[in-house]
Amino acid sequence: MGLLLLLASTTLLLASYLHPGSVTNAQQVFTIKDVSLSIEPSADVSRGTNVTVRCRASVSSSGQEALSREYTVYKDGSEVYTKTTSSSDDFLYLLPDARVSNSGKYKCKINIEGRQRTSNAEKLAVEGLSKPVLHLNKGVVTEGEELTARCTAPGETGSIFFYFYDKGEEIQDKQVNSNQAEAVLHFRSVGIHRIHCTYTVFVRPDSYKSEESSSAAVSVKELNITPVLEISPQHQIFEGDHLNIFCSVRVAQRSTDSMLLYLSEGTSLLSSGSNKVNHSMVALAKAPGLMFECRMEMGNVVKIANRTVPVTELFSAPTLTMSPAEVFQREPMKLTCNSERFASERIQRNELTYTLHPLENPMDTGVFSVKAPLRDFNYTCAARAKGIEKHSETLTVRPRVPVSIPKISVYGKAILGKPIQILCQSDSGSLPINYTLFREYMPENTTSVRLPIQEALFTVSISRPEEIKKFMCEASNGRRQPLLGPRLNATVIVPLSHARLSAVPNLQEILEDGHLNLICRVEGTPPVTFKWYRVGDSKPLNTTTTDELHKDYMVPIVTKEHSGRYYCEAFNHARNLVRSNEVNVEVRMAVWKKALIGGICLLIVSVLAVAVVLYFKSKRGKREAAAELSVKPSSPKSDDSLTVSLTHDTEVYNAATDGASLYDGKEGRATNGTRDSVASLPADISNRSSYSIPATV
């Protein structure tokens, strides 16, 4: 029995580890199967609806004892409610009389003895806002008096922005976490003001704006305080006159202890005080005049008095001019400072004095003689009379740099028969520069260079190389005499022509073991690139570049394999390719080979001749011996036989000797056309036993 209980406990322990979401204790085992959230009656409701957020948890347990469950409700990720219960019923989170601020994403979480599970999020959308209510603490105020306005959003909650409007224009806003806000309003203008308010509820990430409240009228009465601005003199004010300006107020039955006055001219504050302020100044001419302001501030009340005082110019601002309008470096020039208008009622023209800056030398006439500087320089001048000084605008003198003698060159390459571009260029000189191209002092064309990136290029053509020296450039950049540059000195590339290929030695004398020079000649301008080819081969035999108009390709040791047809090609910087005639090379046998063959032939003939002679000598000896034995005096027939034999042998010998003399010594050829052989001998000479007489070879 104890063993069975131990097994049961072990099984339950293993089950608690093998099944996630389940927990075991001494009493029971449970598992949280699922947690879901729903919104009732709907996820989209109108303002004022009673909304229920239902959290349902499915939990299985092994015992009868109720489990302690902790429920947490979240809205937009923030915790809004937590409750612990032992009931297995659905957990309800109530939103009675729902408002827009209740809109958002809800989810719930259940926690049982440390085991947790969270539901999916559901979104609640509440539509509709209550109409705002506006309340004012006063209906009638005096100018500058404060008014308190309160705007209420009945029944609304959450983060709310309230906005207050006067005549449709927003004048204040307030952010609060309640359903009402107050604002202190001030009115600067007298009359009837119509006030209303609105509010906006912010529910992340959305916002909801209410309708407008009912408007309320506020009557603003004028404060009986008037600023007063006085200026003297009042008429015919000229530059240099002294002005006295007074700023004060007129008050009826009110304390002025908190009053402040400010006197200003344009943006310059001249004076300030509590009851009355004044200021003295020298009048200066401004368009449309001197604008004075007397400003009164008391609390929130601001009143202003303005006045514009026209001031007649004593003299006009001077203008600074130069002559001549175009000047070169170090040239004399005149700078004139002059005020065109002056008030003859107050001053004479000779009362005006002029000063040129930076020279600082006063001149009554306003004419200053100076030399043009080397670089750009700024001048100003001043006119002065009766303590009034006026300055001219800045005059920038940009002295021109004289153009230098132009240089002339060929732009790119000058190739005879093609258009040639000529560049004219000066090292210094102010733009624009006019360049003219001359051909033998006759103008060809003119161009103007106005930008630093521009170039003066001219296109010409020539028929002979020496014509290139006829061109010159002229440059000018102002009223100075134009400058003529030197003549153009440039190489004209003459395209190649008349390519010819010749061989050394003579084609009839090219022998084995000798040398061969293939000479290629052209007409045109070097340097020239030569290439030699053998007909049938696309790859050149040799390529070379030289400053001469001819070049040879040498074969140091000639063999029979060098026989064939050859030609050459050439080109120069004109990039035109020319091809020569073809040369047929036939390599003949070497002289020593011819001599060797002749000697061998002679040796063979001599050997044959000696052999024949020796042969016949041996035959003759045998016949003589036989004849001595066979000749008898009483036998005439034997004598006749001997005579016949001698005659026949002599003919054979002569035939052999004549055959040897037929060799002509030319490349081993016999005159009868048979090469490397002696004259034919009788076919049966080796079988002859006829007697032969000696022959002289």
PDB file of all heavy atoms in Angstrom, residues 388-409:
ATOM      1  N   ILE A 388      25.676 118.450 -40.468  1.00  0.00           N
ATOM      2  CA  ILE A 388      25.035 117.265 -41.045  1.00  0.00           C
ATOM      3  C   ILE A 388      26.031 116.609 -42.000  1.00  0.00           C
ATOM      4  O   ILE A 388      26.611 117.278 -42.864  1.00  0.00           O
ATOM      5  CB  ILE A 388      23.737 117.620 -41.789  1.00  0.00           C
ATOM      6  CG1 ILE A 388      22.768 118.347 -40.865  1.00  0.00           C
ATOM      7  CG2 ILE A 388      23.113 116.349 -42.365  1.00  0.00           C
ATOM      8  CD1 ILE A 388      22.311 117.525 -39.686  1.00  0.00           C
ATOM      9  N   GLU A 389      26.238 115.345 -41.821  1.00  0.00           N
ATOM     10  CA  GLU A 389      27.152 114.601 -42.701  1.00  0.00           C
ATOM     11  C   GLU A 389      26.409 113.403 -43.290  1.00  0.00           C
ATOM     12  O   GLU A 389      25.740 112.651 -42.582  1.00  0.00           O
ATOM     13  CB  GLU A 389      28.374 114.118 -41.926  1.00  0.00           C
ATOM     14  CG  GLU A 389      29.414 113.434 -42.810  1.00  0.00           C
ATOM     15  CD  GLU A 389      30.689 113.092 -42.053  1.00  0.00           C
ATOM     16  OE1 GLU A 389      31.545 113.988 -41.925  1.00  0.00           O
ATOM     17  OE2 GLU A 389      30.790 111.939 -41.576  1.00  0.00           O
ATOM     18  N   LYS A 390      26.548 113.265 -44.611  1.00  0.00           N
ATOM     19  CA  LYS A 390      25.907 112.153 -45.310  1.00  0.00           C
ATOM     20  C   LYS A 390      26.951 111.429 -46.156  1.00  0.00           C
ATOM     21  O   LYS A 390      27.858 112.072 -46.715  1.00  0.00           O
ATOM     22  CB  LYS A 390      24.767 112.649 -46.204  1.00  0.00           C
ATOM     23  CG  LYS A 390      23.623 113.279 -45.418  1.00  0.00           C
ATOM     24  CD  LYS A 390      22.478 113.677 -46.333  1.00  0.00           C
ATOM     25  CE  LYS A 390      21.337 114.287 -45.530  1.00  0.00           C
ATOM     26  NZ  LYS A 390      20.187 114.657 -46.400  1.00  0.00           N
ATOM     27  N   HIS A 391      26.782 110.128 -46.237  1.00  0.00           N
ATOM     28  CA  HIS A 391      27.758 109.293 -46.936  1.00  0.00           C
ATOM     29  C   HIS A 391      27.154 108.703 -48.212  1.00  0.00           C
ATOM     30  O   HIS A 391      25.958 108.403 -48.270  1.00  0.00           O
ATOM     31  CB  HIS A 391      28.246 108.161 -46.028  1.00  0.00           C
ATOM     32  CG  HIS A 391      29.014 108.649 -44.840  1.00  0.00           C
ATOM     33  ND1 HIS A 391      30.379 108.775 -44.841  1.00  0.00           N
ATOM     34  CD2 HIS A 391      28.591 109.068 -43.602  1.00  0.00           C
ATOM     35  CE1 HIS A 391      30.784 109.222 -43.663  1.00  0.00           C
ATOM     36  NE2 HIS A 391      29.712 109.418 -42.889  1.00  0.00           N
ATOM     37  N   SER A 392      28.021 108.550 -49.174  1.00  0.00           N
ATOM     38  CA  SER A 392      27.598 107.940 -50.443  1.00  0.00           C
ATOM     39  C   SER A 392      27.617 106.420 -50.314  1.00  0.00           C
ATOM     40  O   SER A 392      28.120 105.862 -49.328  1.00  0.00           O
ATOM     41  CB  SER A 392      28.541 108.357 -51.573  1.00  0.00           C
ATOM     42  OG  SER A 392      29.820 107.734 -51.386  1.00  0.00           O
ATOM     43  N   GLU A 393      27.061 105.789 -51.296  1.00  0.00           N
ATOM     44  CA  GLU A 393      27.193 104.341 -51.385  1.00  0.00           C
ATOM     45  C   GLU A 393      28.615 103.993 -51.817  1.00  0.00           C
ATOM     46  O   GLU A 393      29.332 104.825 -52.395  1.00  0.00           O
ATOM     47  CB  GLU A 393      26.185 103.771 -52.382  1.00  0.00           C
ATOM     48  CG  GLU A 393      24.739 103.912 -51.914  1.00  0.00           C
ATOM     49  CD  GLU A 393      23.777 103.247 -52.879  1.00  0.00           C
ATOM     50  OE1 GLU A 393      24.239 102.734 -53.928  1.00  0.00           O
ATOM     51  OE2 GLU A 393      22.562 103.246 -52.596  1.00  0.00           O
ATOM     52  N   THR A 394      29.027 102.782 -51.570  1.00  0.00           N
ATOM     53  CA  THR A 394      30.393 102.358 -51.884  1.00  0.00           C
ATOM     54  C   THR A 394      30.563 102.217 -53.396  1.00  0.00           C
ATOM     55  O   THR A 394      29.713 101.638 -54.091  1.00  0.00           O
ATOM     56  CB  THR A 394      30.708 101.018 -51.206  1.00  0.00           C
ATOM     57  OG1 THR A 394      30.581 101.179 -49.794  1.00  0.00           O
ATOM     58  CG2 THR A 394      32.111 100.543 -51.536  1.00  0.00           C
ATOM     59  N   LEU A 395      31.649 102.779 -53.881  1.00  0.00           N
ATOM     60  CA  LEU A 395      32.019 102.629 -55.289  1.00  0.00           C
ATOM     61  C   LEU A 395      33.223 101.697 -55.363  1.00  0.00           C
ATOM     62  O   LEU A 395      34.272 101.983 -54.781  1.00  0.00           O
ATOM     63  CB  LEU A 395      32.366 103.987 -55.916  1.00  0.00           C
ATOM     64  CG  LEU A 395      32.936 103.935 -57.340  1.00  0.00           C
ATOM     65  CD1 LEU A 395      31.885 103.431 -58.323  1.00  0.00           C
ATOM     66  CD2 LEU A 395      33.462 105.299 -57.773  1.00  0.00           C
ATOM     67  N   THR A 396      33.063 100.592 -56.054  1.00  0.00           N
ATOM     68  CA  THR A 396      34.161  99.637 -56.218  1.00  0.00           C
ATOM     69  C   THR A 396      34.829  99.893 -57.556  1.00  0.00           C
ATOM     70  O   THR A 396      34.195  99.794 -58.615  1.00  0.00           O
ATOM     71  CB  THR A 396      33.653  98.189 -56.158  1.00  0.00           C
ATOM     72  OG1 THR A 396      33.023  97.973 -54.887  1.00  0.00           O
ATOM     73  CG2 THR A 396      34.797  97.204 -56.308  1.00  0.00           C
ATOM     74  N   VAL A 397      36.109 100.250 -57.494  1.00  0.00           N
ATOM     75  CA  VAL A 397      36.900 100.481 -58.710  1.00  0.00           C
ATOM     76  C   VAL A 397      37.612  99.180 -59.048  1.00  0.00           C
ATOM     77  O   VAL A 397      38.380  98.655 -58.231  1.00  0.00           O
ATOM     78  CB  VAL A 397      37.906 101.630 -58.506  1.00  0.00           C
ATOM     79  CG1 VAL A 397      38.762 101.799 -59.759  1.00  0.00           C
ATOM     80  CG2 VAL A 397      37.169 102.920 -58.174  1.00  0.00           C
ATOM     81  N   ARG A 398      37.313  98.682 -60.234  1.00  0.00           N
ATOM     82  CA  ARG A 398      37.945  97.439 -60.700  1.00  0.00           C
ATOM     83  C   ARG A 398      38.843  97.778 -61.888  1.00  0.00           C
ATOM     84  O   ARG A 398      38.391  97.776 -63.032  1.00  0.00           O
ATOM     85  CB  ARG A 398      36.892  96.419 -61.099  1.00  0.00           C
ATOM     86  CG  ARG A 398      36.059  95.910 -59.920  1.00  0.00           C
ATOM     87  CD  ARG A 398      35.085  94.836 -60.344  1.00  0.00           C
ATOM     88  NE  ARG A 398      34.442  94.211 -59.196  1.00  0.00           N
ATOM     89  CZ  ARG A 398      33.334  94.666 -58.617  1.00  0.00           C
ATOM     90  NH1 ARG A 398      32.754  95.771 -59.100  1.00  0.00           N
ATOM     91  NH2 ARG A 398      32.811  94.055 -57.571  1.00  0.00           N
ATOM     92  N   PRO A 399      40.094  98.125 -61.611  1.00  0.00           N
ATOM     93  CA  PRO A 399      40.985  98.493 -62.723  1.00  0.00           C
ATOM     94  C   PRO A 399      41.228  97.302 -63.636  1.00  0.00           C
ATOM     95  O   PRO A 399      41.379  96.168 -63.188  1.00  0.00           O
ATOM     96  CB  PRO A 399      42.271  98.928 -62.010  1.00  0.00           C
ATOM     97  CG  PRO A 399      42.227  98.221 -60.697  1.00  0.00           C
ATOM     98  CD  PRO A 399      40.790  98.113 -60.318  1.00  0.00           C
ATOM     99  N   ARG A 400      41.234  97.591 -64.914  1.00  0.00           N
ATOM    100  CA  ARG A 400      41.470  96.538 -65.888  1.00  0.00           C
ATOM    101  C   ARG A 400      42.966  96.275 -66.023  1.00  0.00           C
ATOM    102  O   ARG A 400      43.793  97.191 -65.941  1.00  0.00           O
ATOM    103  CB  ARG A 400      40.886  96.916 -67.251  1.00  0.00           C
ATOM    104  CG  ARG A 400      39.371  97.030 -67.222  1.00  0.00           C
ATOM    105  CD  ARG A 400      38.824  97.412 -68.582  1.00  0.00           C
ATOM    106  NE  ARG A 400      39.113  96.405 -69.585  1.00  0.00           N
ATOM    107  CZ  ARG A 400      38.436  95.274 -69.737  1.00  0.00           C
ATOM    108  NH1 ARG A 400      37.431  95.009 -68.925  1.00  0.00           N
ATOM    109  NH2 ARG A 400      38.746  94.411 -70.678  1.00  0.00           N
ATOM    110  N   VAL A 401      43.302  95.018 -66.216  1.00  0.00           N
ATOM    111  CA  VAL A 401      44.693  94.622 -66.435  1.00  0.00           C
ATOM    112  C   VAL A 401      44.945  94.642 -67.934  1.00  0.00           C
ATOM    113  O   VAL A 401      44.208  93.997 -68.696  1.00  0.00           O
ATOM    114  CB  VAL A 401      44.957  93.219 -65.856  1.00  0.00           C
ATOM    115  CG1 VAL A 401      46.398  92.791 -66.117  1.00  0.00           C
ATOM    116  CG2 VAL A 401      44.645  93.187 -64.370  1.00  0.00           C
ATOM    117  N   PRO A 402      45.968  95.378 -68.394  1.00  0.00           N
ATOM    118  CA  PRO A 402      46.232  95.410 -69.837  1.00  0.00           C
ATOM    119  C   PRO A 402      46.514  94.004 -70.360  1.00  0.00           C
ATOM    120  O   PRO A 402      47.142  93.179 -69.689  1.00  0.00           O
ATOM    121  CB  PRO A 402      47.459  96.317 -69.957  1.00  0.00           C
ATOM    122  CG  PRO A 402      47.490  97.103 -68.686  1.00  0.00           C
ATOM    123  CD  PRO A 402      46.911  96.219 -67.646  1.00  0.00           C
ATOM    124  N   VAL A 403      46.043  93.779 -71.540  1.00  0.00           N
ATOM    125  CA  VAL A 403      46.251  92.468 -72.136  1.00  0.00           C
ATOM    126  C   VAL A 403      47.715  92.316 -72.540  1.00  0.00           C
ATOM    127  O   VAL A 403      48.362  93.274 -72.979  1.00  0.00           O
ATOM    128  CB  VAL A 403      45.304  92.261 -73.342  1.00  0.00           C
ATOM    129  CG1 VAL A 403      45.699  93.161 -74.511  1.00  0.00           C
ATOM    130  CG2 VAL A 403      45.280  90.802 -73.766  1.00  0.00           C
ATOM    131  N   SER A 404      48.251  91.143 -72.359  1.00  0.00           N
ATOM    132  CA  SER A 404      49.634  90.866 -72.759  1.00  0.00           C
ATOM    133  C   SER A 404      49.677  90.421 -74.219  1.00  0.00           C
ATOM    134  O   SER A 404      48.640  90.115 -74.834  1.00  0.00           O
ATOM    135  CB  SER A 404      50.239  89.788 -71.865  1.00  0.00           C
ATOM    136  OG  SER A 404      49.486  88.586 -71.964  1.00  0.00           O
ATOM    137  N   ILE A 405      50.895  90.409 -74.773  1.00  0.00           N
ATOM    138  CA  ILE A 405      51.057  89.986 -76.175  1.00  0.00           C
ATOM    139  C   ILE A 405      50.546  88.561 -76.313  1.00  0.00           C
ATOM    140  O   ILE A 405      50.953  87.670 -75.560  1.00  0.00           O
ATOM    141  CB  ILE A 405      52.532  90.077 -76.599  1.00  0.00           C
ATOM    142  CG1 ILE A 405      52.996  91.541 -76.557  1.00  0.00           C
ATOM    143  CG2 ILE A 405      52.732  89.489 -77.997  1.00  0.00           C
ATOM    144  CD1 ILE A 405      54.453  91.732 -76.872  1.00  0.00           C
ATOM    145  N   PRO A 406      49.651  88.348 -77.244  1.00  0.00           N
ATOM    146  CA  PRO A 406      49.037  87.011 -77.339  1.00  0.00           C
ATOM    147  C   PRO A 406      50.013  85.969 -77.878  1.00  0.00           C
ATOM    148  O   PRO A 406      50.891  86.270 -78.699  1.00  0.00           O
ATOM    149  CB  PRO A 406      47.870  87.224 -78.303  1.00  0.00           C
ATOM    150  CG  PRO A 406      48.295  88.372 -79.153  1.00  0.00           C
ATOM    151  CD  PRO A 406      49.120  89.266 -78.270  1.00  0.00           C
ATOM    152  N   LYS A 407      49.847  84.777 -77.381  1.00  0.00           N
ATOM    153  CA  LYS A 407      50.595  83.634 -77.898  1.00  0.00           C
ATOM    154  C   LYS A 407      49.719  82.891 -78.891  1.00  0.00           C
ATOM    155  O   LYS A 407      48.494  82.859 -78.752  1.00  0.00           O
ATOM    156  CB  LYS A 407      50.998  82.699 -76.762  1.00  0.00           C
ATOM    157  CG  LYS A 407      51.935  83.324 -75.747  1.00  0.00           C
ATOM    158  CD  LYS A 407      52.234  82.343 -74.620  1.00  0.00           C
ATOM    159  CE  LYS A 407      53.157  82.947 -73.582  1.00  0.00           C
ATOM    160  NZ  LYS A 407      53.423  81.999 -72.465  1.00  0.00           N
ATOM    161  N   ILE A 408      50.358  82.283 -79.875  1.00  0.00           N
ATOM    162  CA  ILE A 408      49.628  81.540 -80.888  1.00  0.00           C
ATOM    163  C   ILE A 408      50.170  80.114 -80.942  1.00  0.00           C
ATOM    164  O   ILE A 408      51.385  79.892 -80.854  1.00  0.00           O
ATOM    165  CB  ILE A 408      49.727  82.229 -82.277  1.00  0.00           C
ATOM    166  CG1 ILE A 408      48.819  81.528 -83.288  1.00  0.00           C
ATOM    167  CG2 ILE A 408      51.168  82.305 -82.751  1.00  0.00           C
ATOM    168  CD1 ILE A 408      48.690  82.289 -84.584  1.00  0.00           C
ATOM    169  N   SER A 409      49.288  79.161 -81.028  1.00  0.00           N
ATOM    170  CA  SER A 409      49.698  77.761 -81.062  1.00  0.00           C
ATOM    171  C   SER A 409      48.622  76.954 -81.770  1.00  0.00           C
ATOM    172  O   SER A 409      47.497  77.416 -81.983  1.00  0.00           O
ATOM    173  CB  SER A 409      49.921  77.217 -79.643  1.00  0.00           C
ATOM    174  OG  SER A 409      48.726  77.316 -78.891  1.00  0.00           O
TER     175      SER A 409
END
